[in-house]
Amino acid sequence: MTKVDIDAVIPNNVDLAADRRLQRALEGWRPRFLEWWRQRGPAEFQDRDIYLRTAIDVGQEGWSNFGHVKMPDYRWGIFLAEPTPDRRIAFGDNRGAPVWQEVPGEHRSTLRRLVVVQGDTEPASVEQQRDLCATAPSLYDLRNLFQVNVEEARHLWAMVYLLHRYFGRDGRDEADELLQRHSGDPDRPRILGAFNQPTPDWLSFYLFTYFTDRDGKFQLASLRESAFDPLSRTCDFMLKEEAYHMFVGAAGIGRVVLRTVELMQEHDTDEVGPLGGISVATLQRYLNLHYSLSLDLFGAETSTNAANYFAAGLKGRLQEERREDDHRLHHQTVAVPDISEEDIGRRPVPALTALNAVLRQDYADDCQKGVDRWNRILAPVGLTLRLPHVGFNRAVGVFAGHRVSPDGRILTEEQWAAARPTWLPTEEDEAGVRSLMQPVRQPGRMAAWIAPPASGVHNQPLDFEYVHL
Ligand code: BYC
């Protein structure tokens, strides 16, 4: 068991005090981080006390505490899950060998790239969500937004620790650049597409935390399998925090759907927009957008990058050890989605190159579970939400450059242009949703377009003062 140093400038369980150079380097990065947080983090409420969860340990018997804290004083720490004794590489060409505690020279630049891509998404999401605090539908939701934000910032710390500790000078430079790229910046954008899209309203926020944070879950779960043990242990602990972010999304959409159903039943109409709600048609269009953007985050269906990561032991599959195959994948094939001018189908490819598609399918199955839950809420009004076809609105992989309808038909450019407003958010949708985004700040009160949550945070009542105003 590594001791937790909770009172250090940077709380940690990696014995930072024993490595003075590293400690100084990270303490040197900290003011730049705080400056970034002030400029790019939540636009308001920085001087208010917020009821937040803070990671303080990694053990079974409680890894966090809850209390009111001002966000700039949040105790962002570095925590790695407990090591697994005699852990072995579970997949790839080195399967069975001991995992690595240092970065092998031949994998240095590839691993650094993976850590940088992962690290880049964390501050990106905070930047995307910066202005949402002005329009939160309740204090409960406002607090949840900040919870997500401070923990994404802790995940940035997690990756910055790896960069500083294991990648020398290059790593330190990359850590600085994580604060210099910005979401949507035309000159220095974030690395992955979805992280340069705005999150302009709370409907988008819930969909982002449902769909895009769920990509985070699947990517982190793949990196948790890594032969590079510090990365594995870091991702393992990040996944604990990530679960709540996806809950915020799943429950948030569920509450929107519930309110929509109430309004439909009360007024006997599908058109709840004029009544201050969000119609199922609008919801579906927003869902289509966020799901398709998130599918792009898995990369192309066939990828030599993914094959190389796997063969080298850098990035595995979800729950690698529960899979019943040889974990090397040199001789298997897998059918992946494919499209030609006339036809959408599947095509067999070497399993090693199909890892992005396999992970994406696991992700799609997981996404479907939430949709099923929302549809149970919708059942009384006889409507349903659906995940669009994997080829719909895609910019990465085989479907990029093709026009595919949500039900999986190939379209001409004209057909696409004509039908687009029925499938993706229109200006009218956006204006309607925007008009609903009026802040509600009395404890326990809720905006009219969303139902209250089933319970408060950490056994607190719903009318608790989650944010001291
Ligand atoms: N946008 O070989 P391919 C999270 C690039 S979210 C732009 O198919 P590969 C979070 C790709 O980099 C999880 N570029 O891709 C959520 C490659 O470029 P290079 C984040 C893209 O490498 C919410 C080229 O296209 N973590 O944690 O197999 C809030 C060829 O692509 C995109 C990770 O992603 C795109 N969408 O897979 C907060 C894990 N897709 O190298 C946080 C680490 C592909 O040829 N990253 N490209 O110049 C990875 O594992 C991989 O980099 C990817 C791509 C899965 C992203």
Side-chain angles (χ1 to χ4, degrees), residues 25-33 156-157 160 164 175-176 179:
L26 285 168
E27 287 179 6
W29 184 81
R30 191 167 170 272
R32 296 199 282 284
F33 163 80
L156 167 63
W157 270 100
V160 165
H164 272 245
D176 288 343
L179 300 177

Side-chain angles (χ1 to χ4, degrees), residues 113-126 128-129 148 152 155 190-195 208-209 211-220 223 238 242 245 293-307 309 315 356 359 396-397:
R113 180 72 188 162
L114 283 172
V115 171
V116 165
V117 171
Q118 180 62 51
D120 191 69
T121 63
E122 315 291 0
S125 69
V126 175
Q128 287 170 294
Q129 295 162 13
V148 169
E152 298 301 6
H155 294 179
R190 291 297 178 180
I191 296 170
L192 298 176
F195 292 90
F208 182 96
T209 43
F211 288 113
T212 309
D213 277 83
R214 191 169 307 274
D215 170 54
K217 166 183 163 185
F218 279 78
Q219 299 295 343
L220 290 172
L223 293 173
M238 290 161 75
E242 201 59 45
H245 306 180
L293 285 171
S294 298
L295 289 181
D296 280 343
L297 293 171
F298 289 83
E301 287 72 10
T302 55
S303 160
T304 49
N305 283 346
Y309 301 152
K315 183 182 176 190
N356 288 344
L359 187 66
V396 172

Side-chain angles (χ1 to χ4, degrees), residues 120-147:
D120 191 69
T121 63
E122 315 291 0
S125 69
V126 175
E127 294 171 350
Q128 287 170 294
Q129 295 162 13
R130 171 176 165 79
D131 293 319
L132 290 173
C133 54
T135 56
S138 71
L139 280 192
Y140 163 88
D141 288 282
L142 184 60
R143 172 271 164 209
N144 280 348
L145 168 71
F146 295 148
Q147 183 68 63

